[in-house]
Amino acid sequence: MWKTPSVFDNGDRRNNLLQSSRLRAPKGSPNGGAKRRRSLQEDAMGWFARYYHWFILSVLLTFITLHWLLELEKSLANNESLPEVFMSPPPRVEPLTHGSVSAFGRKYNPNVLLDQDTIAKKSQKKELSVSSSSNQVSPSLPSAEPFIPNYTPTSSRPLRTIFLGRADENHPFFTTASTSQYYIYDQLLDGLDRSPFFKVVQAHMYNPLDWAITSKDFHSLPIDEPTLIVVDWAPLQRDCHVLDQMLEGLKQLTERENIYLLYVDVSPSTKTVTCPVPLIPKERTRVAKRGIIEGRHWNSAGKWVEPGAIAFPENVLHFPHYLRQEFVDIMNTMETRRKNDIAHFWRKGDYSHYSLLRRRVGQILKDYDGKHTDKHLRIIIRTIGDETSLPYDEIEPDYVEALLSTRIVVIAQRDEWEDHYRLLESLAGGALVLSDEMLAPPPGLQNGTHLVFYDSSSSLRNLLDYYTTHAEERDAIAANGQAYALGTQRSWHALERIVFGAPLTQVDSIEDEAPKRKHPFHTHIHHHDDDNEDL
């Protein structure tokens, strides 16, 4: 009897059918079915479907770990909020053996200052100064060269000069009062008038209120002598229309091949503006600028300032701030009594533009004061004088007195640009100055010789540790810094360096009185809302 094959038959027919089929039997099928081999793609998709939540969790943990490692690296770099065991001890530096030089007196004899080569060798300690490699990305500053070729100035043959500036908005340029004093806007004319190598023959002052130009002739204009036109460019808002009006009165100068034009821009802006002046060709035109640093800014992640780089367009000369005569006049009326150890003069609650570094430095000093109570240090971290306003055209006597009563002055520049009046004023006060690093310091200023630069929170702390305990070396650097400011960085020095290639008047004569002015000018500077940016 023939048998009909059942579905449970395990014979060759069933096996042949299953082998010829590309599909396995459904799960639960009576036949069970034969499993085919899965592809790698199907295996991967199946694994991800079962364990995707663990995959996402591992990615998150990896991201968190990397973020933590980056933050730890930044903390180690700045030594911030870390146990003392992780902080490197202050570097040991051998004291200078050239003898003690006190920076506490008002008068100094340059012959007893430490030898410059000795101090330079001692200052080559990377632990206590900014590494020179950080500045290698920026081009070096061009050397000063005489602006006027084949001309040697003498006191008997000074360079005749025409000054173009801005009149005070609140006071008349010239007054008819009994004192017959001339009130001017800026201090450039003060430097020109004190140097015996310049002879101001004309002054043209622009008043922005009524667009009027007031002119005065002081001397005759011989046609066979070189003539320098000095334009106080920043107060004139770098306005070519204003300059053109002021030059209208100079077209009577017939010997035009002897005329030279110098724009002086002491604003922090890196913008360079010159105007087409048919009277004077480009080769006899120069721009003296303070703002030559591009890209300086506050780095919120690193909690410090990125230094930027030096930018030097063609025909541009570096013209940093000079030491104001008003400051020196006030300082000479005071005595020096150094009762304070460290000072940082800035507003306690200043949240104004570009002052994050200054607030950061103030906080570092505050923390330093709290952690070093055993040293019995007297530290000042506040504005001296008017707390609500410090216009750069007003010098607070209390501020000058505080400088003369401090051993170490810590200063910091604005976040967006370099250079400020506090640098030379702090040096002139005779204290050791600790400053944040500069790519374009004033000419001749040397780190470790005249002041000491810091470039991080940790380097500032280490410098404070060292110089609060090494009085001999601190006083020597402070004395050299004061001699540098008073002997080479006055208003007449700055102008002579730009025009003649080097300072000529009372160089290194820090005890002599300032040269007398040749005209009865009195500086009366108007305060603008943004003028305190230079502090």
Side-chain angles (χ1 to χ4, degrees), residues 144-174:
E145 296 181 357
F147 179 22
I148 303 177
N150 302 322
Y151 178 79
T152 302
T154 62
S155 57
S156 60
R157 186 187 174 220
L159 175 64
R160 65 174 187 171
T161 306
I162 298 174
F163 182 78
L164 308 182
R166 177 172 168 177
D168 195 309
E169 297 177 2
N170 292 339
H171 296 78
F173 172 40
F174 295 104

Side-chain angles (χ1 to χ4, degrees), residues 368-379:
Y368 186 87
D369 189 22
K371 294 179 180 178
H372 294 77
T373 55
D374 56 322
K375 289 187 176 182
H376 304 290
L377 297 175
R378 181 178 173 87
I379 301 180

Side-chain angles (χ1 to χ4, degrees), residues 124-140:
Q124 293 175 354
K125 305 184 185 311
K126 295 182 180 179
E127 299 90 347
L128 291 180
S129 63
V130 175
S131 173
S132 60
S133 61
S134 62
N135 295 348
Q136 292 178 355
V137 297
S138 302
S140 60

Side-chain angles (χ1 to χ4, degrees), residues 7-172:
V7 294
F8 302 100
D9 188 1
N10 293 326
D12 295 336
R13 182 183 179 188
R14 172 179 172 271
N15 291 334
N16 293 334
L17 289 173
L18 290 176
Q19 290 176 2
S20 64
S21 175
R22 297 181 61 187
L23 300 175
R24 62 172 294 184
K27 187 176 180 180
S29 169
N31 294 328
K35 296 182 178 180
R36 72 178 178 88
R37 186 175 182 179
R38 292 186 176 184
S39 65
L40 292 177
Q41 182 179 5
E42 290 174 332
D43 288 339
M45 293 179 62
W47 181 89
F48 184 78
R50 288 192 297 271
Y51 302 108
Y52 71 92
H53 50 287
W54 293 107
F55 175 78
I56 296 176
L57 181 61
S58 64
V59 172
L60 291 176
L61 290 176
T62 302
F63 176 79
I64 294 173
T65 302
L66 291 176
H67 180 73
W68 180 81
L69 290 175
L70 290 175
E71 291 298 324
L72 178 61
E73 183 180 358
K74 294 175 183 178
S75 299
L76 290 174
N78 293 328
N79 285 339
E80 297 172 355
S81 303
L82 295 177
E84 293 294 331
V85 69
F86 293 110
M87 298 179 63
S88 59
R92 175 179 176 80
V93 177
E94 297 179 2
L96 296 175
T97 58
H98 202 74
S100 176
V101 179
S102 174
F104 296 167
R106 275 296 301 118
K107 300 297 183 180
Y108 299 99
N109 182 358
N111 296 325
V112 303
L113 295 180
L114 291 181
D115 179 71
Q116 297 295 318
D117 294 336
T118 302
I119 292 184
K121 294 178 181 178
K122 295 295 183 179
S123 66
Q124 293 175 354
K125 305 184 185 311
K126 295 182 180 179
E127 299 90 347
L128 291 180
S129 63
V130 175
S131 173
S132 60
S133 61
S134 62
N135 295 348
Q136 292 178 355
V137 297
S138 302
S140 60
L141 298 177
S143 58
E145 296 181 357
F147 179 22
I148 303 177
N150 302 322
Y151 178 79
T152 302
T154 62
S155 57
S156 60
R157 186 187 174 220
L159 175 64
R160 65 174 187 171
T161 306
I162 298 174
F163 182 78
L164 308 182
R166 177 172 168 177
D168 195 309
E169 297 177 2
N170 292 339
H171 296 78

